[in-house]
Amino acid sequence: MPELRKDPVIGRWVIIATERAKRPHDFKVEREIVSQENTCPFCEGREEMTPPEIMAYRENGSKKDAPGWRVRVVPNKFPALQVEGELDRRGEGMFDKMNGIGAHEVIIETPKHFCNLTQLTVPEVEEVIWAYHDRILDLKKDHRLRYVMIFKNKGAQAGASLEHTHSQLIALPVVPKRVSEEMAGSREYYSFKERCVFCDIVRQELNDGVRVVIENPSFIAIQPYAPRAPFETWIIPKAHNPSFENAQKQEYEHLAKILWQVLRKIELALNDPPYNFMIHTTPFHQEDLPYYHWHIEIMPNLVKFAGFEWGTGFYINPTPPEHSADYLREVKID
Ligand SMILES: [Zn+2]
Ligand SMILES: [Zn+2]
């Protein structure tokens, strides 16, 4: 059983995930993945190689755990948390811990052995986004859970162990520290300005223009004012909305388009780099907040964080966001 343990000094939870110790490539030096096309468990026709599916968008008449799907969601074979069991909060002397209850799922974005999300069409990317939406709504019904993080690791250096394009979600029984810090900061800003900080960012960036990569009627993609790393990119909805899963239908269409465009620009500009993206949204059942605003953060893995970053939480970024925005704007796609 995995375990959640709380750091007594700064209150950060970590997951001690014993299941994952079985992963064969654990602790080996990362290397580029050799092509896995002939053995890939995410390809259509090899459905029996994954745990039974949780959900799939399928052609009419096709059967569960068989070909005929377009997007397929399965439990992670080496989960960091486990679904079964009760939340048991305990002390261990001065320390706090709880059972590692949660969900760890893989969203297989296409039945074809593609390595990049941008090999999908925009409507196909939109279906992946709907899968995120549907999974969040379902996981929200579980009273033990407080937060769901949807993320993508692309490339071995960004933590992907399979090349077939996929994203993941981890649903947690606690709100992660990074998210509570973001919410606390937004609440603070709201308390003296009476405006949402993200709504203000959208307005200011549209005015200034220098950090905007691309926009459409519902979204803006920017290089943030104080990025941690080169080419860090945020996609922010223009309309105020705290929760990703409560977006309008048309917004998902526009999100699919801008996400595809931004990732394509990053691939072309930076020679298909490893990257991570994360969706930041509100904790479960806190949906009407006037001060929080969901968004996506994309982090290309171009620099290594080392002693200084670990020790201080400061980041040294050699690329001004105004330059990277300019660079990405110029990249021709289509
Ligand atoms: Zn595959
Ligand atoms: Zn807002």
Side-chain angles (χ1 to χ4, degrees):
M1 177 90 185
E3 210 171 76
L4 288 174
R5 295 186 180 187
K6 193 180 194 178
D7 180 302
V9 183
I10 63 168
R12 174 184 54 215
W13 290 91
V14 300
I15 302 174
I16 308 294
T18 42
E19 277 297 297
R20 292 175 73 80
K22 292 179 200 152
R23 299 203 324 168
H25 57 276
D26 269 4
F27 309 122
K28 282 193 201 137
V29 178
E30 68 203 22
R31 61 193 144 76
E32 270 317 306
I33 312 165
V34 286
S35 176
Q36 299 158 335
E37 194 158 0
N38 297 323
T39 54
C40 174
F42 292 170
C43 278
E44 184 166 41
R46 299 204 191 93
E47 289 78 10
E48 81 290 346
M49 289 178 72
T50 66
E53 74 194 32
I54 297 168
M55 183 196 94
Y57 298 149
R58 299 186 150 279
E59 301 311 323
N60 284 339
S62 69
K63 288 201 191 68
K64 189 174 184 287
D65 296 315
W69 51 278
R70 301 185 301 280
V71 179
R72 186 166 180 256
V73 182
V74 298
N76 191 304
K77 209 168 182 175
F78 302 100
L81 293 168
Q82 100 183 21
V83 178
E84 300 82 22
E86 274 313 301
L87 254 195
D88 180 20
R89 286 175 178 265
R90 269 165 299 155
E92 188 172 353
M94 65 175 285
F95 301 116
D96 293 314
K97 67 174 185 179
M98 66 172 96
N99 284 346
I101 298 289
H104 190 171
E105 303 178 0
V106 178
I107 298 105
I108 308 170
E109 296 156 357
T110 167
K112 298 189 201 93
H113 194 79
F114 288 151
C115 301
N116 290 58
L117 185 57
T118 50
Q119 287 170 279
L120 275 61
T121 63
V122 170
E124 286 168 342
V125 174
E126 192 185 338
E127 273 209 307
V128 173
I129 291 167
W130 278 107
Y132 299 164
H133 166 271
D134 290 354
R135 289 311 302 142
I136 294 177
L137 288 192
D138 188 44
L139 288 161
K140 248 181 169 173
K141 295 182 208 148
D142 188 328
H143 67 278
R144 301 167 304 170
L145 303 175
R146 300 256 179 92
Y147 197 78
V148 63
M149 169 60 61
I150 290 179
F151 60 99
K152 181 174 174 72
N153 301 336
K154 144 81 186 164
Q157 284 166 52
S161 48
L162 291 170
E163 66 186 4
H164 188 128
T165 188
H166 66 283
S167 7
Q168 301 183 59
L169 70 80
I170 293 187
L172 296 159
V174 293
V175 179
K177 189 170 168 63
R178 180 62 57 79
V179 174
S180 358
E181 280 172 356
E182 215 177 66
M183 297 193 60
S186 311
R187 197 188 306 121
E188 174 79 3
Y189 184 93
Y190 188 86
S191 73
F192 61 90
K193 303 229 188 183
E194 294 186 40
R195 297 191 306 266
C196 162
V197 63
F198 291 94
C199 287
D200 272 7
I201 291 174
V202 168
R203 270 189 291 268
Q204 168 126 11
E205 295 297 354
L206 283 172
N207 262 329
D208 293 356
V210 286
R211 283 174 298 273
V212 179
V213 176
I214 194 163
E215 61 163 315
N216 68 31
S218 309
F219 290 90
I220 179 175
I222 58 163
Q223 305 289 286
Y225 182 74
R228 287 161 285 187
F231 293 89
E232 174 173 351
T233 306
W234 295 359
I235 297 175
I236 314 177
K238 288 181 175 175
H240 182 76
N241 176 11
S243 307
F244 166 84
E245 69 274 20
N246 294 341
Q248 304 295 313
K249 199 164 180 288
Q250 201 191 25
E251 285 182 291
Y252 288 139
E253 195 184 318
H254 292 160
L255 177 61
K257 176 100 180 160
I258 202 164
L259 182 62
W260 189 96
Q261 289 171 317
V262 165
L263 292 176
R264 188 70 190 132
K265 278 174 176 276
I266 288 174
E267 278 168 22
L268 290 172
L270 304 167
N271 193 23
D272 199 12
Y275 67 80
N276 304 99
F277 75 61
M278 294 74 74
I279 300 181
H280 272 172
T281 182
T282 43
F284 289 174
H285 315 300
Q286 295 189 34
E287 276 125 56
D288 296 320
L289 305 177
Y291 57 82
Y292 193 72
H293 191 128
W294 78 268
H295 57 278
I296 299 182
E297 299 181 8
I298 305 167
M299 296 287 282
N301 276 232
L302 303 169
V303 290
K304 275 242 179 301
F305 296 142
F308 182 66
E309 287 84 358
W310 281 111
T312 60
F314 263 78
Y315 296 90
I316 304 175
N317 181 348
T319 314
E322 296 76 16
H323 292 184
S324 53
D326 196 38
Y327 197 76
L328 288 179
R329 263 197 310 274
E330 296 300 315
V331 174
K332 298 273 177 291
I333 46 178
D334 302 319

